[in-house]
Every structure is written in C-alpha cells, then in structure tokens.
Amino acid sequence: MRFTDKICLVTGGGSGIGRAACQQLAAEGGTVVVIDRDEATAQETLRLIEKAGGRGLAVRADLGVVPDVQTAVDAVLATYGRVDVLVNNAAMMTFKPIVELTVAEWDLVMAVNLRAVFLLSQLCLPHMRGGAIVNISSVHGQQTTANVIPYAASKGALEAFTRGMSQEYPASQVRTNCVAPGAVDTPMLWNNPNVKSGQEKIEGEVGHPEDIAGAICYLASTDAHYINGTTLVVDGGRLSVL
Ligand code: NAI
C-alpha cells in the first residue's frame, strides 16, 4: 500500500482522470481530498471511495477564484495538518481562434490551468515533507491543433513550471512531475467540439482514466524517488509520430 497514512489532494476529482486518480490513491491506502467546483460530483467520488473501504474528504472550490483555493487548502490543513501528495488535474479549454478570444477567456484558462497550480503548490509546499506533486499536462503542450491556443499554452507552461519546481526543490524534499495524457475516455474528450467535428482526429487507441491514474500514482509514490521535473507522456504512442 504505497499511500498508507498519506494525505493526497486531487483537483478536478469529481470526474474522469481526477476521479480515477482519487480512487486508485484511496485503494492504495491514501486519505484523499477530492477538490472540485462541482460539489455533487466531488461527493460522489468520496462516496465511491468510502464504498470501496477508503476514506477522505470532499471540498468544493472553484480553482479560478483565488480565495476558493486558499479556503480549500485551509480546510485540508485544519483537518489533517499536512499534505503528502498534490495532484493538479483540473483544467478547462476554450474553442475559438485567437482573433476571437476575449481577454476574460484567456485569463480564465490561465487562472484555472496555471495560476491555481502555482497557488496550490505555494500553499501546500510548507506543509509537505518528502512528498510529491503531479501536474496533469496534455499532449497539446507539445503538439496541438487550431482553436485551443490558451489550453495548449497553459499546458506547455505547466511543463516549464514543473521543471522550475524541480530546480527549487530537490527530490529529497518534494518531487514535481507531469503526466501528459493523450486522448482519454472522459467527458472533456467527447465534449470537445474539435473532436466532435473531426478537426482533431482521434487516431489509435483511446486511453482509459485508470491508465492515467496508474501513471499519476507511480509518480506520486516513492517508486519514482529519483524522478523530478520531468513529463511522462501516456498516450499510447500518439506523440511518437513527431
Ligand atoms: P473532466 O472534464 O472529465 O474532469 C475535469 C474535472 O475538473 C471536472 O470534475 C470539473 O468539474 C473540474 N474542474 C474544471 N474546472 C474547475 C475549476 N475551475 N475548479 C475546480 N474544478 C474544476 O476532464 P478529464 O478529461 O478528466 O481531464 C483531467 C485532466 O486531464 C485535465 O488537466 C486535462 O487537461 C487533462 N487531459 C485530458 C485529456 C482527455 O483526453 N480527456 C487529454 C489530455 C489531457
């Protein structure tokens, strides 16, 4: 049980990859804090964890809102007093060409996908001892399509952020890594208008949330004790055509 006695925070834990990560961390002994802006889905993830014999806490927070991020971390620290694993998984997309994007849309994507990662890291780091941060990037950080520039830019920046973290924190203190999924069978994939229209072609195998959760748990565990500042692509080989 790799996460026995570990306090594990997962953002976007109410759906898809985040929910699978919550379930796997809990199945391996972790106490899981499910953070999501959708309280009902966060509670449902917690219910699934508890039904399987695990434990945790559901916290509603909109990560695009700075006080919500602070409140979520305060709630975790008030309950558990520390953080061992932080999985920054929640993200959003826009589907517009660059000339049609508003500043508000740009700012919101950056706030949810990037600023929240900075804030959560900054707030959790003083309470982490030998723990791990896993940031969920995307193949879009390296190879993208039209009409999703803020998302692709946020994911590329997230990978650079992760490399920077590894320079400020040695592996012995806190390890920070990314997982970059390819196409994964979640609501985010199938609600993507570029995918619906066929503009973004889903070639090859579509992954399952559990495939990504396995990679997240590996990087979050001491099995990966010598891995810091890198990005693990989990895409069934999609990026290898580059
Ligand atoms: P999903 O749409 O199934 O789940 C995302 C969760 O994040 C939802 O529960 C949603 O309520 C929550 N969320 C969104 N905005 C939030 C906010 N402002 N505050 C708090 N919670 C918020 O998405 P999925 O597919 O599980 O995505 C998870 C991560 O995986 C994201 O970082 C995404 O960019 C990444 N990813 C997904 C891929 C896919 O094909 N599904 C491919 C590559 C990366």
Side-chain angles (χ1 to χ4, degrees):
M1 299 279 264
R2 293 182 292 184
F3 300 105
T4 301
D5 295 330
K6 304 287 186 202
I7 309 301
C8 309
L9 275 61
V10 181
T11 69
S15 175
I17 292 166
R19 174 172 285 173
C22 288
Q23 290 180 286
Q24 190 161 333
L25 287 162
E28 294 200 43
T31 298
V32 176
V33 182
V34 186
I35 300 174
D36 208 291
R37 71 172 168 196
D38 183 333
E39 183 155 22
T41 59
Q43 290 290 355
E44 175 60 12
T45 300
L46 181 60
R47 198 189 63 77
L48 292 168
I49 287 171
E50 289 175 343
K51 199 173 153 206
R55 63 177 168 218
L57 182 73
V59 176
R60 197 214 73 85
D62 182 340
L63 299 171
V65 177
V66 173
D68 269 26
V69 180
Q70 177 78 58
T71 305
V73 175
D74 287 349
V76 174
L77 294 175
T79 310
Y80 301 115
R82 63 169 213 283
V83 174
D84 298 295
V85 171
L86 169 62
V87 180
N88 287 305
N89 164 77
M92 61 167 295
M93 303 180 81
T94 51
F95 304 99
K96 282 185 178 178
I98 188 80
V99 290
E100 290 177 18
L101 271 176
T102 66
V103 170
E105 286 165 336
W106 174 270
D107 284 349
L108 184 59
V109 174
M110 292 303 154
V112 174
N113 296 12
L114 202 53
R115 186 181 69 192
V117 177
F118 149 64
L119 282 173
L120 280 166
S121 303
Q122 189 182 60
L123 292 169
C124 290
L125 278 164
H127 309 280
M128 296 179 81
R129 304 269 178 281
I133 299 175
V134 183
N135 295 324
I136 310 308
S137 180
S138 164
V139 290
H140 278 274
Q142 296 178 53
Q143 184 193 63
T144 194
T145 48
N147 301 339
V148 295
I149 288 174
Y151 179 75
S154 73
K155 296 300 191 180
L158 184 59
E159 293 185 17
F161 176 90
T162 298
R163 289 191 288 272
M165 286 281 291
S166 73
Q167 297 305 299
E168 293 194 18
Y169 284 84
S172 58
Q173 279 182 34
V174 175
R175 294 175 305 99
T176 309
N177 292 291
C178 280
V179 173
V184 183
D185 182 12
T186 71
M188 183 181 249
L189 178 68
W190 303 120
N191 292 335
N192 181 333
N194 291 350
V195 172
K196 283 185 186 167
S197 70
Q199 188 187 339
E200 182 178 348
K201 293 203 176 16
I202 306 299
E203 279 155 4
E205 198 187 340
V206 172
H208 300 288
E210 297 73 24
D211 299 326
I212 310 305
I216 292 168
C217 288
Y218 168 64
L219 288 173
S221 78
T222 52
D223 290 348
H225 67 96
Y226 195 51
I227 303 179
N228 196 12
T230 197
T231 296
L232 175 59
V233 177
V234 185
D235 72 342
R238 190 176 177 194
L239 267 191
S240 62
V241 297
L242 273 174

